[in-house]
Amino acid sequence: MTETEQTPKSPVWKRILWMVVIYAGSILALTVVATLFRMMMTAAGMKSH
């Protein structure tokens, strides 16, 4: 037997849930970074309009 045959696979719903959690976390991190950059640019006197 190989190692992959010995390791039980997690259920599909659990793998999909992890993908959703990772995706949501990356969107949240991107939002936080973009907001920080916008705050720094506004503090430096730059405006979007």
Side-chain angles (χ1 to χ4, degrees), residues 1-48:
M1 273 196 184
T2 63
E3 186 176 328
T4 55
E5 292 173 356
Q6 293 175 354
T7 307
K9 252 189 172 177
S10 59
V12 174
W13 68 268
K14 204 178 235 185
R15 288 183 276 162
I16 290 174
L17 181 64
W18 269 112
M19 289 296 290
V20 169
V21 168
I22 291 169
Y23 177 75
S26 66
I27 296 297
L28 179 64
L30 181 62
T31 303
V32 168
V33 170
T35 303
L36 288 174
F37 270 108
R38 181 175 285 212
M39 288 170 57
M40 288 188 297
M41 290 172 69
T42 302
M46 301 174 97
K47 294 193 179 233
S48 61

